[in-house]
Amino acid sequence: MSAKKTALTVLSAALLVPAMLVAPAHAAPSPPADGKGQPGKAPAAPAPPASMSTVGGSLLGQPGTQVNLLPGAPALPANLTGRSWIVADAESGEVLAAHNAHWRLPPASTMKMLFADTVLPSLPKDQVHKVTEQDMDGVGPGSSLVGVKEDLEYSVHDLWLGVFLRSGNDAVHVLSAMNGGIDKTVKDMQAHAEELQALDTHVVSPDGYDAPEQVSSAYDLTLIARSGLQKQDFREYCGTAEAKFPGRQEAGKPREHFEIQNTNRLMTGAGGISPYKGIAGVKNGNTTMAGSTFTGAAQQGARKLLVTVMNPGAGGVNSVYEETAALFDWGFAAAGKVKPVGELVPPKSADTTSHGSPAQSHENNPSAAGKDSGGVGTALGVAGGALAVLAGGAFVVNRRWPRGRRSRGEDLV
């Protein structure tokens, strides 16, 4: 296979938010109950808890929209319908605005970010595995699949492409088997969530498939994405628009491959959504219990933002992307014009003694990168899978963890 283009020029989104002078506020307009521009009598949507976690700041534990606009700041987008959302600076960790940030909700396939952040470092990307029937046990009915087949071999690199691009639960189960099994992987993920201080998260399945008591929050998903983006391979996979995935293998013939495309519509422009300028990942999801969920990373100039939106109440499958794009637009326009309402806390084990300077990571300590230092060039050459890589490979988040201002025992209510 000839290599495809290694970069994709991404169009500007159409949802630009005009700047306007407003007084400092702590609430944004809510849509009418019937979503049609007139007061309605539709059943009320579920209400967030009156008291939620205060990890990251006390305002983040309050229900409703939290924002502190300074003079000259743009207003938040009108008619946001997500049950929970957050806009944060990926570098500093400052939360620019949030809505029910710690509401514990079903995460759908955004849970795969935690799966990848937990398991990816332990499996060499060139390791090859022959899939068994047992590997595929427990893949839920109606799951999103990339097309993994029993008795065929796949590299770890192939399988991660299946996870990130097609949200393949089959690929998740095979990688979990390689990690020691589903039960071990779930325990590993839960331990990693606690290390990240993603304390709203309760893991039941590694793929995000609907399960009782499986929850996360917009705050936690943003923490998890920020951690994952520290890893070069994570950035490359989540920033890949399209690739070739291994198919049938007939004796004496080259293995067949088929094309897969990322299901992130802000990346590919599928479904009539305009590709977002500067998009670099991260992960979308959709299930019956969760509705649509999405965590995205984007960069414009030197500014890098993370946005998570959970379960918009109107607009169909595209609404999660439209509301994410609107919040990105607002965040880029509002940078430096809002007082943060909280912060993304560092992991428990992070060194916060040198405030404002990057800690060692794979990005500034190549000798520590090990198998995770192959870069885009290596990814393009593995498994015959031609990729179209977006900004993900270049989207680096430095670990500039803030000094702890509260004891961790005081973070929760």
Side-chain angles (χ1 to χ4, degrees):
M1 283 285 181
S2 59
K4 291 190 175 181
K5 56 186 179 181
T6 60
L8 185 64
T9 302
V10 187
L11 301 174
S12 299
L15 299 169
L16 295 177
V17 181
M20 55 188 297
L21 294 177
V22 296
H26 290 284
S30 297
D34 63 359
K36 297 179 181 178
Q38 298 294 330
K41 297 182 180 180
S51 179
M52 294 175 280
S53 166
T54 58
V55 171
S58 60
L59 287 177
L60 300 182
Q62 298 181 15
T65 301
Q66 308 302 322
V67 65
N68 193 343
L69 303 175
L70 301 177
L76 281 166
N79 297 328
L80 295 172
T81 67
R83 290 186 182 178
S84 176
W85 53 259
I86 192 169
V87 183
D89 187 296
E91 289 280 2
S92 69
E94 292 179 344
V95 176
L96 307 184
H99 179 76
N100 301 326
H102 281 290
W103 192 357
R104 303 179 80 197
L105 297 167
S109 285
T110 49
M111 183 66 82
K112 291 181 172 76
M113 295 189 298
L114 178 60
F115 171 70
D117 196 38
T118 303
V119 176
L120 192 154
S122 65
L123 297 176
K125 67 197 308 181
D126 57 355
Q127 181 178 340
V128 175
H129 177 77
K130 186 173 183 179
V131 175
T132 68
E133 182 179 355
Q134 291 73 27
D135 293 344
M136 305 289 279
D137 285 347
V139 176
S143 287
S144 54
L145 306 172
V146 66
V148 174
K149 302 298 182 184
E150 297 169 14
D151 299 323
L152 293 180
E153 293 184 342
Y154 299 86
S155 71
V156 167
H157 173 78
D158 295 329
L159 295 168
W160 283 121
L161 289 174
V163 170
F164 278 94
L165 273 68
R166 299 304 304 171
S167 206
N169 290 3
D170 47 358
V172 170
H173 278 249
V174 175
L175 288 164
S176 295
M178 297 174 69
N179 186 57
I182 295 292
D183 290 346
K184 176 182 180 298
T185 299
V186 166
K187 290 178 182 178
D188 290 347
M189 291 170 64
Q190 190 66 58
H192 188 52
E194 292 170 7
E195 156 63 17
L196 295 178
Q197 301 201 68
L199 304 182
D200 300 322
T201 299
H202 181 237
V203 185
V204 177
S205 66
D207 49 24
Y209 192 81
D210 281 342
E213 299 184 4
Q214 178 150 271
V215 291
S216 190
S217 67
Y219 183 87
D220 280 14
L221 293 174
T222 308
L223 274 188
I224 292 162
R226 191 183 187 210
S227 176
L229 289 165
Q230 306 284 348
K231 300 173 177 63
Q232 188 174 49
D233 283 350
F234 186 106
R235 293 197 306 273
E236 291 172 7
Y237 290 130
C238 78
T240 298
E242 59 187 36
K244 296 294 185 182
F245 193 80
R248 295 185 302 174
Q249 176 70 69
E250 296 185 19
K253 295 183 179 180
R255 185 151 184 193
E256 295 181 7
H257 288 75
F258 57 91
E259 186 169 297
I260 58 175
Q261 187 179 63
N262 202 307
T263 54
N264 176 355
R265 295 186 177 188
L266 285 184
M267 179 178 293
T268 64
I273 292 292
S274 297
Y276 193 81
K277 180 181 179 182
I279 194 72
V282 174
K283 191 71 189 75
N284 57 305
N286 190 296
T287 66
T288 301
M289 290 175 62
S292 296
T293 60
F294 183 66
T295 296
Q299 178 173 358
Q300 292 185 9
R303 183 75 57 180
K304 302 170 185 177
L305 296 180
L306 289 164
V307 171
T308 296
V309 175
M310 302 186 75
N311 200 348
V317 70
N318 281 342
S319 60
V320 74
Y321 301 107
E322 292 165 348
E323 295 190 18
T324 297
L327 287 168
F328 269 132
D329 286 338
W330 176 84
F332 286 119
K337 301 175 184 177
V338 296
K339 181 179 178 181
V341 295
E343 66 181 7
L344 301 178
V345 295
K348 290 180 180 179
S349 62
D351 180 3
T352 62
T353 59
S354 54
H355 181 59
S357 60
Q360 280 194 336
S361 71
H362 290 183
E363 315 312 327
N364 52 32
N365 183 15
S367 64
K371 297 181 178 69
D372 196 33
S373 61
V376 176
T378 300
L380 288 170
V382 176
L387 302 99
V389 181
L390 294 172
F395 187 100
V396 179
V397 180
N398 291 321
R399 292 181 175 176
R400 297 189 290 194
W401 306 122
R403 290 183 187 274
R405 290 192 289 273
R406 297 174 304 279
S407 68
R408 292 190 177 92
E410 297 171 342
D411 281 337
L412 296 174
V413 295

